[in-house]
Amino acid sequence: MKSISQELISRVIKKRKSATHKGNYGRLLLIGGSKKYGGALIMAAEGALNSGAGLVTVATDQVNIAALHTRDPEIMALNWDESIELKNLIKSSDVVVCGMGLGLDDKAQQILRLVRDNITLKQTLILDASALDLIGQQNDLLPLNSKILIFTPHQMEWERLSGIKISDQSDELNQVALDKLVKNKNAILVLKSNHTKVYDQAGHIYLNPFGNPGMAIGGMGDTLAGIIGGFCGQFIPNLETVAAAVGIHSLTADKIAERQYIVRPTQLSAHLSEIMKQYEK
């Protein structure tokens, strides 16, 4: 097991070249945000935007779009009821992030099936929150056709998905469960906890040594899912890139916690680009 280091983060975050454009930094689609949980999707989208994703689009319940555009006019939005356009967006995106505030109802299941049936082997797929719970209930909803498949559960979501009780979530059992879920050996597990661990299916594990208790606020994981998506859209989508996203998320929070009792996820996103600048190589 290795620790996520500042040197690793610096290796991943590349200085931008002059002759580039927004298409060079990833076309991201984030899907989530039911009527009740629109904030989860907005926080994830802000994480993606502020981590440097070139083009960010969300598919969400119509009720969330005005709030999103008021906060972030840089982000495009689609009413997720427009299924044909959503299907085309899934196919044309470099990275798809699904699950933040998605819910567990029939509509959520319909959307996850749409992702499952239209994701391709050229894309990175990140599954978070409600998407993981839905798959835990119905394993046939698991999309397996992406180039890289990234799971981002907290420990209770991982228990529901893997069947491993929180108290039994050892590295060995976690990797066995990941291999059972994904036969293609193209998955990465970001198991969120006090010190998050990042696993691949070759037996490599990164431990996150950063972070603080001020991060224990709703929306922190949604923000991380967006940041991971932003990093995978800009940099090579692999274990090191995902680990670097986890590390910079916590390092940014640590910087804020030097002067505050809590760290709001939206505040973390707002400071993220400034901290990334310190690590660009």
Side-chain angles (χ1 to χ4, degrees), residues 58-76:
V58 304
T60 188
D61 190 287
Q62 178 69 37
V63 73
N64 301 314
I65 293 177
L68 173 75
H69 281 165
T70 299
R71 290 183 60 90
D72 303 294
E74 303 92 342
I75 297 173
M76 296 169 283

Side-chain angles (χ1 to χ4, degrees), residues 211-217 220 253-254 257 260-265:
N212 63 82
M215 299 171 71
I217 293 180
M220 195 60 73
D254 286 348
Q260 292 185 189
Y261 183 70
I262 64 163
V263 180
R264 290 178 59 179

Side-chain angles (χ1 to χ4, degrees), residues 69-212:
H69 281 165
T70 299
R71 290 183 60 90
D72 303 294
E74 303 92 342
I75 297 173
M76 296 169 283
L78 173 70
N79 180 345
W80 64 12
D81 288 333
E82 298 178 29
S83 57
I84 294 175
E85 192 169 350
L86 178 53
K87 176 180 176 179
N88 292 334
L89 268 174
I90 292 168
K91 289 181 175 181
S92 63
S93 298
D94 300 313
V95 180
V96 176
V97 189
C98 181
M100 304 73 58
L102 182 66
L104 302 174
D105 59 11
D106 290 344
K107 183 65 179 181
Q109 294 177 41
Q110 175 190 338
I111 288 171
L112 192 52
R113 287 191 190 94
L114 200 65
V115 173
R116 179 196 64 188
D117 296 342
N118 291 284
I119 202 76
T120 74
L121 292 173
K122 296 180 179 180
Q123 297 168 288
T124 298
L125 174 61
I126 301 166
L127 297 174
D128 187 51
S130 300
L132 301 172
D133 286 339
L134 284 169
I135 293 164
Q137 294 172 10
Q138 301 180 56
N139 188 255
D140 68 326
L141 291 174
L142 177 61
L144 291 170
N145 291 329
S146 58
K147 182 177 182 181
I148 296 178
L149 177 58
I150 302 170
F151 299 99
T152 58
H154 56 58
Q155 288 180 291
M156 182 56 72
E157 289 166 341
W158 182 236
E159 178 178 324
R160 290 192 285 260
L161 184 60
S162 69
I164 306 170
K165 293 181 180 179
I166 292 175
S167 59
D168 295 332
Q169 289 175 6
S170 65
D171 294 338
E172 181 180 2
L173 289 180
N174 290 336
Q175 291 193 300
V176 168
L178 189 61
D179 288 344
K180 186 177 179 180
L181 276 169
V182 184
K183 307 296 185 185
N184 297 339
K185 302 292 185 180
N186 63 334
I188 294 172
L189 169 65
V190 179
L191 184 53
K192 297 177 291 192
S193 67
N194 181 34
H195 287 296
T196 295
K197 290 182 178 179
V198 186
Y199 303 79
D200 71 4
Q201 291 187 275
H204 302 115
I205 307 171
Y206 275 102
L207 172 69
N208 181 26
F210 311 116
N212 63 82

Side-chain angles (χ1 to χ4, degrees), residues 197-249:
K197 290 182 178 179
V198 186
Y199 303 79
D200 71 4
Q201 291 187 275
H204 302 115
I205 307 171
Y206 275 102
L207 172 69
N208 181 26
F210 311 116
N212 63 82
M215 299 171 71
I217 293 180
M220 195 60 73
D222 304 307
T223 300
L224 175 59
I227 294 170
I228 292 171
F231 269 51
C232 288
Q234 295 170 83
F235 312 121
I236 298 170
N238 58 23
L239 178 69
E240 288 71 27
T241 294
V242 174
V246 170
I248 200 73
H249 173 262

